[in-house]
Amino acid sequence: MEKLTYVDAYRRATENPDVFWAERASALTWDRRWTRVLDTSNAPFYRWFSGGRINTCYNALDRHVEQGRGGNLALIYDSPVTGVALRFTYEELLNQVASFAGALRKLGVERGDRVIIYMPMVPEAVVAMLACARIAAVHSVVFGGFAAPELAKRIDDAKPVVVISASCGIEGQRVVPYKPLVDEALKLAHHVVRHCIVLQRPQATAALLPGRDLDWSEALIGAQRAPCITVEATDPLYILYTSGTTGKPKGVVRDHGGHAVALAWSMSAIYDVHQGDVFWAASDVGWVVGHSYIVYGPLLAGCASVLYEGKPVGTPDAGAFWRMVAEHRVNALFTAPTALRAIKKEDPGGGLINKYDISSLRALFLAGERCDPDTVHWAQEKLNVPVIDHWWQTETGWPVAANCRGLTPLPIKAGSASVPVPGYDVRVLGDAGTPVGAGTIGNLVIRLPLPPGTLATLWENDEGYRDNYLTRYEGYYLTGDAGFIDTDGYVWIMSRIDDVINVAGHRLSTGAIEEVLAGHPAVAEGAVIGAADALKGQLPVGLVILKAGATISPAQLRAELIDRVRQQIGPIASFRHVAIVTRLPKTRSGKVLRSTMRAIADARSFNVPPTIDDPGTLEEVTGAFKNLGYATPAGS
Ligand code: COA
Ligand code: AMP
C-alpha cells in the first residue's frame, strides 16, 4: 500500500471514506468482499463493510502461519511476579487457540454466545479471547481489579454461557484469589452460567464445583482443534464494559470487520510498527488498551506483542520497564502517564534507565488520562525518544487524536494529544451546540459517522447508545471530554464534562461509588468527586451525611465505607478518603454542586454558583476536605 502523508490520509479519509477504508481493508483476508464500505441505511447506527465476511482470529493468527510466518514471534509473556517468561510463535499460539476453541465448542459454545473472561495477565487470557473470536463467540473481558458485584452486573447484562477465570492473580507480592470472587458473582447474578473454566495456577488452587466448573487442562482433553467460523463483518466480536455516570456499566460493542481494518492500519499509521517489530502495551487485557494493543492490533499486523504481569514499580523496582525493553528488544512502548509518574517518583534521575540497553525503543506512547507536561519532558529527556500523548476511549477502540508516527511525525506539544487521526472529524462545540473558536474550551465531539473500529452500539441497548452519545448535539458523537483545538489544529483534552473520573488511567463512575456509600445503613446521602492526585491523576473523595439517629462512630463509619467500596466495586477504585458532613452544597433544585466541590478540593478558585441553595455549606465542605488533606494549594 502506498505510504501517505498525514495531510493526504486525513483528506482522503474525510472526502472519500469509502475508497480510503476499502484500501485499508485490502490488507486483510476476507471470506467475502463487502457490498458497502460505509453503510448509512440505519443512520445514526452507521456500519462498516456490510455484506463482508471475515474472521478476526484468522487474520490475527492463521493468515500469518499460512503465509509462512508461523515461526515468527507472536506473544512474549514476562511475569516478574512469578518468575516465568515464555515466548510463543504464531504457530504455537494458533495451536493453543485452536485447541481451546475446540474445548469451548465441546462445552456447547455456539456462534453469538457470550463468554466472560475474568483473568489475570496470563497467556491463557489472550488464548481465551482469540478462541472466542475464532468460533464467533462474543467475549467480554472483565478487569481483575473489579469486585464480585461488578462482575455480577456484567454477567447479568451479557448473559454468558461460560465464564473463564483463573485460581488467582498476583498483585506485586500478594496472591489475590480470583475464584472466590467468581463464585460470589455467580451467586449474586440472576443469570445462570452453564460452565466455569478455571486455570489453576501454582500460587493458589481453586475449589471447583463438580458439574459446573472445569479445570482449564481438563477442558482441553479430547477437544478437537476448532476451525475459524466466518462471520458478518458487522457481527459483534466483543463487549467491553466501561463506566458511565451511573452505577450501571455500559457494554461497548465492537464488530469484527471495521475493528480489524482500523486496528491493522493504526499499527503502521499511528505507531509506525510493522511485521516483525516488538510492540508492548503495558496495560491489562481487561481494559480497551489491552484488547486493542496487547491482543488484536499487534497480531493483526504480524508483530510480537508483549504481555507483562507486573507493575511499573516494585516488581522488583522502577527499572522494570527498561529491563523489559532491553530483554525483549521492544520497539514501541505504550503506557499510562500514571505508570511513568510512579517510575519518575522512585527514580527521578533515571539511573535505572541507564542500567539497560534500550536502544531498540523508537517511541513511547501515552494514553488513558491527561499527561502533565513535566512527565512528558522527563520521559523525553531520560529515554531520548519521542513521547507521544494520544487520546482515545473505550468507545472509540483506537486513537481519536495522535501524532501519527507512520504518516508524518509532527512537532510534539507537551500536554496535547496532537491532531485528529484520519477518519475522526473532531470539533469543539459550546453548550448551545455552536462551534467555538480556536483555543476556546468546549465540548469535544466527533462528527458522525465515526470511523471503522469504533463502537457499533451498546450491548442490547441501542437507545442507551443514542441517549448517551448522540442526542446532545445532532450529527455528533459526544466524547464526554472537554478541551480545545489550538490554531495549529492540536487537540488539548482538559477534563470530563460528566461524573466519570480517571484513577491511575482507570475510568470509574463517581455515581457508582455514591450508590455504594448510600447503601450503608447509617448514610442518608453521599457525594463523590475526583480530586487531583500527583501520582494517580485523580482519586475519589467522598462526603456523606448521616441518617438522623445514626450512632456509629465516625472512624468506624469511614472504615466500613472504605471496605464497602473495596468489596462492591473493587480495590481498583482506590477509595480511601471519606468524611462526614451535615450538608452538601446543592442548587436550589437539589443538584449536588460537584464541580464546585472539585474546585474546593483542588484548591482552585471558583465562582460561587448563583443557583446555590446555601453558600454556608461551602465552608463546611472546605473544612472536611482540608481534614482529608485536600483544599490546600500544593506545597503549602
Ligand atoms: N486484580 C486484583 N487487584 C488489582 C488488580 C487486578 N488485576 N489491579 C489492581 N489491583 C489492586 C491493587 O493491588 C491495589 O490494591 P491495594 O489497594 O490493596 O493496594 C488497587 O487495586 C489499586 O491498584 P493500582 O491503581 O494499580 O495501584 P497500585 O498502588 O497498586 O499501583 C501504579 C500504582 C501507578 C503503579 C499503578 O496504578 C499503575 O501501574 N498504573 C498504570 C495503569 C495502567 O496501565 N492503566 C492502563 C490504562 S491505559
Ligand atoms: P477509557 O475509556 O477508560 O479509555 O477512558 C477514556 C477517557 O480517558 C477519555 O474520555 C479521557 O477522559 C481520558 N483520556 C484518555 N486518553 C487521554 C489523553 N491522552 N489525554 C487526556 N485524557 C485522556
Side-chain angles (χ1 to χ4, degrees), residues 242 288 367-370 389-394 481 493 496 502 507:
T242 188
V288 68
E369 57 177 318
R370 186 175 153 68
D389 183 4
H390 60 332
W391 170 51
W392 50 306
Q393 316 184 298
T394 304
D481 285 323
I493 321 303
R496 290 287 302 188
N502 201 313
R507 178 166 155 185

Side-chain angles (χ1 to χ4, degrees), residues 1-4 20-28 265 268:
M1 215 184 297
E2 108 195 76
K3 189 163 168 14
L4 297 175
F20 180 80
W21 289 112
E23 278 172 14
R24 314 279 90 61
S26 65
L28 298 173
W265 184 62
S268 58

